[in-house]
Amino acid sequence: MCGIVGYIGKQEAFPILIKGLHRLEYRGYDSAGVALVNDNKELNVYKTKGRVADLEEFVKNKDISGTIGIAHTRWATHGEPNNVNAHPHYSQSENLALIHNGIIENYSTIKEELINKGYSFQSDTDTEVLVQLIEYIKETNKTDLFTAVQLALGEIVGAYAIAVLEKGNTDTIIAARKSSPLVIGIGEDELFVASDASPIVDYTNKVLYLDDEEIAIVKRGEEPIIRTIGNVKKSHKIVELEVNLSQLEKGGYPHFMLKEIIEQPRTLKDCMSGRINISCDNVVLSGILDNKEKFMNARRIIILGCGTSWHAGLIGEYLFEDICRIPVEVEYSSEFRYRHPVIYKDDIVIAISQSGETADTLAAIELAKEAGAFVFGICNVVGSSIPRNTHSGAYTHVGPEIGVASTKAFTAQVMVLNMMALAIGRAKGSITEDRFQHLIKELGRIPEKVEHILKDTSKIENLSKIFTYAHNFIYLGRGYNCPVAMEGALKLKEISYIHAEGYPAAEMKHGPIALIDNEMPVVVIATHNSMYEKIISNIQEIKARNGKVIAVVTENDCKMCNIADQIIEVPASEECLEPLLTIIPLQLLSYYIAVNKGRDVDMPRNLAKSVTVE
Ligand code: F6R
């Protein structure tokens, strides 16, 4: 949600900020803006509704000079996306400009108080309230900007990552965070602030991460000074980024999403690397090894996540119950955090999140920790908030995922869950050594099988053309492939805006079957596994009502060729590993349908990559 970037250095700030905004655009893209202090110490703010490219157009013939600036790309929370609500926001005197990611919950009370004191507001945003409050405190207390920000944040309820610039000051950005990420980049004679590392990697790989309720004075030529809202001095280790530039570029693909789908054989290998040995006979996850007793004695596993990560969690439920014989509950983080859940001290909570910043999942983790449970994170973004706030965990190691629709992160989450289940199952003795050895070898073969599916995508591309103009889709699966059906439906709706439902196949006759007619495409995952005969019956029920069946089947399944209208083949595998294969054609199908419909695949409407508001 919302991207923030700031720069102080020897170069002109504007081109660096714009490049940074392009990198951050996946976080939100309904409006964009920039604030710069030029050499005459004037503070200029330019902002517009639309994409970063619209901002570039908007500033033509304007004064965009200055070696210090802040910039923002927005995902609207308060106030519709328009020119006025775009960030940065000026204070009343136009002496301050502020950008913000997050939500200020008590903004309306503060706004009322400020209006009574003579302040007027241009926008409908919560952000403008904060910049006005900072100015009010600065003027009434006759204090410097840092102290004013510190005092103002003490009055704020909610989440924020902010950066503030001041007219007359060509050297300093004040930055702060609570529940929204913020990183400071330390380059040669230049400093950066940003929501994530993507705008920084071109210039430096040295960063430090702010913690909640910390404020930084980022000053030209000096090391950042960090204090808490309560004025306690803090120092943070400078760490090296693991991200490299090629991971942030499309590399010749038309969309990040396609690049990320195609990358999966490699990302799955990266995810296994160092965890499954070359001879594929052992799995070593340090987060499990270090906490072996806890996992062995777990009364229950609770898996938390949102969206695609929640779907990965559902697959985790099948795995842990099947392989480890531990009871599992899978919860939407947003429901779990507010429903007064029963949590035992010997529960293990597994929080799954690509970004590591999802507000609902972070809050659910805090709740579980307060109840005394052991919390294990599965995350992709190194150094993000969830890995820093869990007891232990495992990274998915797939590199930055830029396409808003999650693809390679999902398969890696499922891969980590498989490795965890095998490690725990072996330690507990809940699977035989023979089965362990067989499964781990099959897991090792998954990347080459994914590569095989991806070798020729033209069949799925052609098939997509037949169904592009359908208004609805149903996705069905059973067992391990039931969550895959739900994930396939989510992928389709988020990027093509076609309504799609993912269901357990046998549930269809309890309601959704009423929707089936000769215009309804039904994607059925019908691989050759223990549920095969059952799913054939489900397909027959659809065919009897003239539905159009697109079946994802095991290679060379002749029987299915005669039943389904269209088939997509995947290589045979162990049932518990099938989701790693069956999701691939569904990702491609939604991608091609969205492209056929002319959708903006990487930046679909209303969505943002990292959901830092609840
Ligand atoms: C769907 C998608 C979202 C995310 C969800 C959770 O393609 O990307 O549903 O999965 O917002 O995000 P993370 O995994 O970052 O916690």
Side-chain angles (χ1 to χ4, degrees):
M1 309 253 125
C2 298
I4 285 180
V5 57
Y7 174 79
I8 309 171
K10 290 191 167 154
Q11 305 183 59
E12 281 299 297
F14 184 78
I16 294 173
L17 294 174
I18 286 293
K19 194 168 175 190
L21 284 188
H22 279 295
R23 289 266 164 75
L24 288 169
E25 210 167 16
Y26 73 99
R27 297 180 69 91
Y29 33 82
D30 57 46
S31 48
V34 60
L36 300 146
V37 183
N38 65 16
D39 289 347
N40 298 327
K41 303 196 172 184
E42 291 156 343
L43 174 61
N44 293 315
V45 169
Y46 307 112
K47 54 187 188 170
T48 182
K49 180 180 173 196
R51 300 281 166 93
V52 177
D54 298 305
L55 178 65
E56 288 176 272
E57 197 55 42
F58 180 74
V59 298
K60 281 198 176 135
N61 305 320
K62 299 198 165 69
D63 175 14
I64 47 165
S65 65
T67 56
I68 177 169
I70 55 176
H72 188 266
T73 176
R74 180 170 186 244
W75 185 85
T77 57
H78 293 68
E80 63 169 286
N82 61 27
N83 297 344
V84 178
N85 290 333
H87 300 207
H89 288 280
Y90 269 133
S91 60
Q92 180 122 318
S93 66
E94 299 197 350
N95 283 340
L96 305 179
L98 180 143
I99 52 177
H100 168 222
N101 170 27
I103 290 182
I104 294 160
E105 288 173 12
N106 57 340
Y107 82 103
S108 56
T109 328
I110 299 173
K111 187 170 181 174
E112 223 175 279
E113 286 168 14
L114 288 170
I115 289 172
N116 290 339
K117 290 184 165 86
Y119 277 75
S120 58
F121 288 82
Q122 314 300 318
S123 75
D124 307 317
T125 64
D126 50 341
T127 304
E128 194 185 4
V129 175
L130 179 55
V131 71
Q132 303 278 43
L133 178 66
I134 294 170
E135 177 159 292
Y136 170 72
I137 292 176
K138 188 169 179 294
E139 283 175 5
T140 47
N141 292 18
K142 304 261 174 287
T143 150
D144 60 16
L145 179 59
F146 173 79
T147 313
V149 171
Q150 204 176 30
L151 293 171
L153 293 179
E155 293 186 24
I156 293 299
V157 179
Y160 52 80
I162 57 164
V164 196
L165 271 192
E166 186 176 21
K167 182 176 172 178
N169 187 338
T170 49
D171 293 329
T172 314
I173 297 173
I174 304 293
R177 74 154 272 179
K178 183 182 176 195
S179 306
S180 287
L182 205 65
V183 54
I184 299 176
I186 323 272
E188 286 277 321
D189 296 325
E190 50 191 7
L191 293 159
F192 303 82
V193 293
S195 303
D196 63 40
S198 58
I200 298 178
V201 274
D202 292 85
Y203 311 96
T204 179
N205 66 351
K206 292 194 173 53
V207 297
L208 58 86
Y209 294 96
L210 285 190
D211 279 336
D212 274 353
E213 303 203 342
E214 288 183 350
I215 313 171
I217 306 174
V218 185
K219 190 166 182 189
R220 190 186 295 277
E222 293 182 10
E223 282 211 351
I225 297 172
I226 302 167
R227 289 187 173 272
T228 64
I229 291 179
N231 209 26
V232 178
K233 193 158 189 246
K234 291 276 177 161
S235 66
H236 286 300
K237 259 207 337 236
I238 294 176
V239 292
E240 285 208 359
L241 288 174
E242 291 183 7
V243 180
N244 65 49
L245 271 180
S246 67
Q247 292 173 315
L248 298 171
E249 277 154 12
K250 285 188 201 149
Y253 289 97
H255 297 101
F256 279 109
M257 183 178 177
L258 184 61
K259 177 187 176 224
E260 287 160 4
I261 293 173
I262 302 289
E263 258 172 14
Q264 287 175 106
R266 185 187 53 72
T267 55
L268 287 167
K269 269 190 209 149
D270 289 348
C271 180
M272 285 192 283
S273 166
R275 291 157 167 179
I276 293 185
N277 61 0
I278 288 200
S279 48
C280 269
D281 59 9
N282 197 12
V283 55
V284 180
L285 284 162
S286 57
I288 303 270
L289 261 187
D290 297 345
N291 302 287
K292 202 165 158 189
E293 292 303 309
K294 288 201 170 67
F295 280 97
M296 302 258 300
N297 300 319
R299 174 198 287 234
R300 175 178 63 161
I301 291 176
I302 300 172
I303 304 181
L304 304 172
C306 305
T308 289
S309 296
W310 183 76
H311 293 150
L314 292 176
I315 296 169
E317 176 175 28
Y318 284 87
L319 287 165
F320 290 124
E321 297 206 335
D322 183 8
I323 296 174
C324 312
R325 306 305 297 149
I326 303 175
V328 181
E329 281 168 31
V330 188
E331 303 266 3
Y332 289 112
S333 307
S334 54
E335 288 300 314
F336 182 79
R337 64 181 287 195
Y338 285 119
R339 69 165 176 74
H340 200 204
V342 176
I343 308 168
Y344 301 108
K345 286 196 174 9
D346 49 358
D347 278 339
I348 289 202
V349 172
I350 300 175
I352 307 179
S353 173
Q354 186 285 130
S355 62
E357 300 293 350
T358 302
D360 283 319
T361 304
L362 268 163
I365 287 170
E366 284 314 312
L367 187 75
K369 282 189 351 197
E370 276 161 28
F374 176 78
V375 185
F376 188 95
I378 300 177
C379 284
N380 188 39
V381 180
V382 176
S384 58
S385 299
I386 290 178
R388 290 190 289 136
N389 285 289
T390 40
H391 296 115
S392 182
Y395 282 115
T396 42
H397 289 311
V398 299
E401 189 180 64
I402 312 273
V404 163
S406 188
T407 52
K408 63 176 181 175
F410 173 76
T411 46
Q413 289 165 347
V414 176
M415 176 60 85
V416 169
L417 289 163
N418 266 287
M419 290 190 288
M420 287 177 72
L422 285 175
I424 300 165
R426 189 189 212 186
K428 280 190 73 175
S430 51
I431 52 168
T432 62
E433 186 59 21
D434 276 0
R435 183 157 161 73
F436 174 87
Q437 289 300 338
H438 177 66
L439 285 181
I440 196 164
K441 288 198 170 50
E442 282 300 308
L443 197 59
R445 285 185 197 120
I446 289 292
E448 81 199 46
K449 291 184 184 180
V450 173
E451 197 161 2
H452 178 74
I453 300 171
L454 291 168
K455 205 182 278 162
D456 181 10
T457 57
S458 61
K459 181 163 185 211
I460 299 176
E461 191 174 357
N462 291 336
L463 193 138
S464 75
K465 291 180 187 138
I466 307 173
F467 296 101
T468 292
Y469 296 100
H471 295 295
N472 299 286
F473 266 75
I474 292 180
Y475 285 69
L476 302 175
R478 296 188 76 141
Y480 279 98
N481 283 312
C482 172
V484 176
M486 294 159 110
E487 173 61 8
L490 178 66
K491 285 289 87 84
L492 184 71
K493 60 187 141 193
E494 60 187 335
I495 58 168
S496 69
Y497 322 147
I498 296 174
H499 172 240
E501 298 275 356
Y503 254 93
E507 270 294 302
M508 191 187 57
K509 55 187 164 301
H510 300 288
I513 199 163
L515 297 169
I516 308 255
D517 61 14
N518 62 1
E519 289 186 3
M520 177 66 88
V522 186
V523 178
V524 190
I525 303 152
T527 39
H528 212 291
N529 60 29
S530 67
M531 306 305 284
Y532 185 67
E533 295 302 332
K534 306 265 176 218
I535 209 127
I536 287 189
S537 308
N538 299 135
I539 292 177
Q540 298 291 13
E541 289 158 10
I542 301 162
K543 291 303 303 167
R545 286 152 186 91
N546 296 322
K548 297 279 170 284
V549 172
I550 306 157
V552 177
V553 303
T554 307
E555 265 171 359
N556 305 320
D557 183 349
C558 303
K559 189 168 171 186
M560 205 53 100
C561 296
N562 299 326
I563 307 175
D565 297 275
Q566 304 286 341
I567 59 157
I568 305 172
E569 293 183 316
V570 296
S573 181
E574 272 295 315
E575 192 162 346
C576 63
L577 307 180
E578 279 185 356
L580 291 163
L581 305 177
T582 50
I583 190 59
I584 308 290
L586 304 193
Q587 293 171 345
L588 284 168
L589 184 64
S590 38
Y591 171 76
Y592 286 121
I593 289 179
V595 170
N596 298 342
K597 286 179 85 83
R599 304 299 192 216
D600 189 342
V601 172
D602 285 335
M603 290 185 239
R605 72 178 179 206
N606 304 339
L607 293 177
K609 186 71 185 162
S610 176
V611 185
T612 53
V613 296
E614 69 166 287

